[in-house]
Amino acid sequence: MKKLKNLISKYPFLKFLVNRYILVLILFGIWMMFFDNYSYLEHRVLDKEINEIEDNINYYKSEIKKDSTSIKHLKNDDRVEKYAREKYYMKRENEDIYIIDFEDNKKDSTETFQEKTNSNN
């Protein structure tokens, strides 16, 4: 007890910390910050997940807008035909299609294929 009094007389701010209400309050704060189910650390993790989910929501909303505009454009028969010709190489009767592959495109496609195979290994 003498050591505690000597320590308190040496450092007066310890007198404030020795108060039992302050000690309980400090312990409660530490418990709530680190050990409780609703701790500050757990809230940080949950906040990060919420932000990721909100980013996903915004991304998918923008994708829905893009898709809805493309659907509106494809309601026109001319645009449907153009899309089918470009994407699926469809043709009209009595019509020939020539697909020209440039060497640059071949190199790019082989490089991407090699990157995919390397990343899978």
Side-chain angles (χ1 to χ4, degrees):
M1 198 66 171
K2 272 188 169 180
K3 288 184 179 182
L4 184 64
K5 287 185 180 184
N6 288 337
L7 205 64
I8 290 174
S9 65
K10 206 176 211 182
Y11 303 106
F13 67 90
L14 289 178
K15 184 176 183 182
F16 178 72
L17 293 177
V18 174
N19 187 347
R20 67 178 132 180
Y21 298 111
I22 299 299
L23 284 175
V24 169
L25 186 65
I26 289 172
L27 291 175
F28 177 76
I30 290 172
W31 179 265
M32 292 303 289
M33 290 289 284
F34 299 108
F35 302 116
D36 193 45
N37 287 336
Y38 304 106
S39 68
Y40 173 73
L41 301 175
E42 186 68 28
H43 275 277
R44 286 182 49 201
V45 171
L46 293 174
D47 286 340
K48 285 181 184 178
E49 288 181 17
I50 289 171
N51 290 335
E52 288 176 7
I53 291 171
E54 287 175 349
D55 290 342
N56 286 341
I57 289 171
N58 292 332
Y59 170 75
Y60 287 120
K61 282 183 179 180
S62 67
E63 289 297 315
I64 288 171
K65 285 182 183 178
K66 289 178 187 176
D67 291 342
S68 63
T69 55
S70 65
I71 288 171
K72 286 180 185 176
H73 287 295
L74 289 176
K75 288 188 178 181
N76 186 352
D77 290 336
D78 295 332
R79 295 222 184 218
V80 171
E81 183 179 345
K82 181 181 176 185
Y83 184 79
R85 287 170 171 264
E86 290 175 358
K87 191 78 172 175
Y88 299 110
Y89 305 115
M90 293 184 158
K91 63 176 187 156
R92 292 183 184 157
E93 290 183 27
N94 300 326
E95 186 178 60
D96 295 326
I97 295 178
Y98 298 101
I99 300 172
I100 301 171
D101 250 352
F102 294 104
E103 288 185 24
D104 296 338
N105 292 341
K106 288 181 183 178
K107 288 179 184 177
D108 292 339
S109 63
T110 56
E111 287 174 0
T112 56
F113 176 73
Q114 289 174 350
E115 288 174 3
K116 287 181 184 177
T117 55
N118 289 339
S119 65
N120 289 337
N121 291 337

